[in-house]
Amino acid sequence: MAKTQIADVIVPEVFNPYVIERTAELSVLVQSGIVVPNAELDALASSGGKTVNMPYWSDLTGDDEVLSDSTALTPQKITAGQDIAVLLERGKAWSANDLAKALSGDDPMRAIGDLVAAYWARMEQKTLISVLTGAMGAASMTGNVKDISGGADDAALIDGSNFLDAQQLLGDAKDRLTAIAMHSAVETYLAKLDLIEYVRESDANPRVPYYMTKRVIVDDGCPVSGGVYTTYLFGEGAIGRGNGNVPMPTETDRDSLAGDDILINRRHFILHPRGIAWVGSAAGASPTNTELAKATSWERKYENKNIRIVQFKHKIA
């Protein structure tokens, strides 16, 4: 009986778009509306280069003028700014030993595609935490950071009151905040206080946690150090996501001596906090998560309230 090999079941031109689409479907970040796929960013991610320039018009400023039949209005100019995103170039290879169970399925290409897509969904979430660590740590981003961790006793603990204070950093734009990313220990702490509401949005899906009417994304990648937890508040579309073209996104190979099939998957993508420009540099062709997490690599471009992200540092005990 002939052995089924990876090359027998993977059709790259079908596999590649399936993995990209399925990754978005599996991503909690996309489901919550925090990360919004964008056709314009798809095009920019395919334009070449290590960074992507995203020009924007600054808001109109200045007071209005009283109309007069003897004095003309004074024209004011509109200014432009430039946000900068960095292209992330990542890849991963698996041997058939890791995918053996997928090869026994009714539709092995789809089964393998689901495994690969789930992997990339997890990696995107991990990468985003690194991006946020760096971007929100930038010196220019203090207006979007609420840190109560140095408070005495209960003053350092997350609760409804200081959570509202964190929201208030965006002033009259605070209603744009719709989701929260928090460590599982923070979710458990709030659940013990009966402050988490679990909603079953459909019979086919598990219950979804909400806090203060905002969807909760539980991720143990959210930073915790010395008992200080970092929680993130997001508005819809706070993170732009684009998928670029890769010369050879999917390849298969075989190690004949070991008897292993190999699947190689590569991705070029953008995962960018809108309004905070990448100004850093990478040692390689694209920054690592460690390089993304450097505060000196980011600089605020938008007005604070127009950046739909708040970083909230607190304790739970």
Side-chain angles (χ1 to χ4, degrees):
M1 181 177 177
K3 177 182 177 181
T4 301
Q5 299 178 355
I6 291 286
D8 296 328
V9 298
I10 294 295
V11 182
E13 55 268 30
V14 178
F15 183 81
N16 298 330
Y18 176 81
V19 167
I20 291 174
E21 181 180 356
R22 186 70 175 136
T23 299
E25 291 174 0
L26 293 171
S27 173
V28 178
L29 298 169
V30 174
Q31 292 172 11
S32 65
I34 293 172
V35 173
V36 175
N38 185 287
E40 181 182 357
L41 286 180
D42 288 348
L44 290 173
S46 302
S47 61
K50 295 184 178 181
T51 59
V52 175
N53 295 325
M54 300 188 295
Y56 63 91
W57 292 111
S58 300
D59 202 359
L60 300 178
T61 59
D63 293 332
D64 58 0
E65 302 176 48
V66 176
L67 294 175
S68 169
D69 58 3
S70 59
T71 304
L73 295 173
T74 304
Q76 300 290 323
K77 65 181 180 180
I78 182 171
T79 59
Q82 185 163 272
D83 195 1
I84 304 172
V86 63
L87 182 65
L88 303 174
E89 301 175 356
R90 304 291 173 89
K92 187 67 176 178
W94 298 270
S95 71
N97 290 333
D98 297 327
L99 302 171
K101 63 179 180 179
L103 290 174
S104 63
D106 293 334
D107 185 350
M109 185 169 72
R110 179 171 181 174
I112 293 171
D114 279 348
L115 290 173
V116 173
Y119 169 82
W120 284 120
R122 295 192 302 271
M123 290 304 101
E124 282 191 6
Q125 197 155 315
K126 185 175 182 179
T127 298
L128 179 59
I129 294 298
S130 294
V131 167
L132 292 171
T133 299
M136 301 305 291
S140 55
M141 285 302 298
T142 55
N144 290 64
V145 177
K146 179 72 173 178
D147 187 351
I148 62 169
S149 62
D153 302 323
D154 290 352
L157 305 182
I158 182 174
D159 61 20
S161 178
N162 52 46
F163 182 84
L164 291 175
D165 290 339
Q167 287 189 126
Q168 185 57 34
L169 291 179
L170 295 194
D172 56 10
K174 62 189 175 184
D175 287 343
R176 298 179 185 176
L177 297 171
T178 57
I180 316 163
M182 62 177 64
H183 194 281
S184 62
V186 178
E187 182 213 15
T188 297
Y189 172 78
L190 294 173
K192 287 179 179 179
L193 298 177
D194 202 24
L195 296 176
I196 296 285
E197 180 184 7
Y198 294 91
V199 178
R200 189 177 297 280
E201 297 182 336
S202 72
D203 293 337
N205 296 318
R207 295 184 305 163
V208 176
Y210 282 81
Y211 177 63
M212 303 283 281
T213 72
K214 294 170 177 52
R215 174 151 184 187
V216 172
I217 297 166
V218 181
D219 188 341
D220 283 348
C222 289
V224 53
S225 177
V228 177
Y229 290 81
T230 300
T231 296
Y232 292 100
L233 289 68
F234 297 98
E236 187 171 346
I239 308 297
R241 179 177 183 266
N243 288 294
N245 294 324
V246 184
M248 290 292 288
T250 299
E251 290 185 274
T252 59
D253 199 359
R254 180 164 175 78
D255 185 341
S256 300
L257 294 176
D260 286 339
D261 287 328
I262 299 170
L263 171 64
I264 305 158
N265 193 235
R266 303 179 183 90
R267 292 190 60 208
H268 288 181
F269 63 100
I270 291 172
L271 206 56
H272 182 69
R274 292 188 176 276
I276 313 174
W278 166 262
V279 294
S281 59
S286 180
T288 64
N289 284 353
T290 299
E291 290 171 328
L292 290 172
K294 291 181 179 179
T296 54
S297 294
W298 300 89
E299 182 180 278
R300 178 174 64 84
K301 293 296 181 181
Y302 288 9
E303 186 180 344
N304 286 100
K305 67 168 61 178
N306 289 334
I307 296 174
R308 289 160 281 180
I309 309 172
V310 170
Q311 185 187 68
F312 183 25
K313 294 187 175 184
H314 56 83
K315 296 181 177 179
I316 59 174

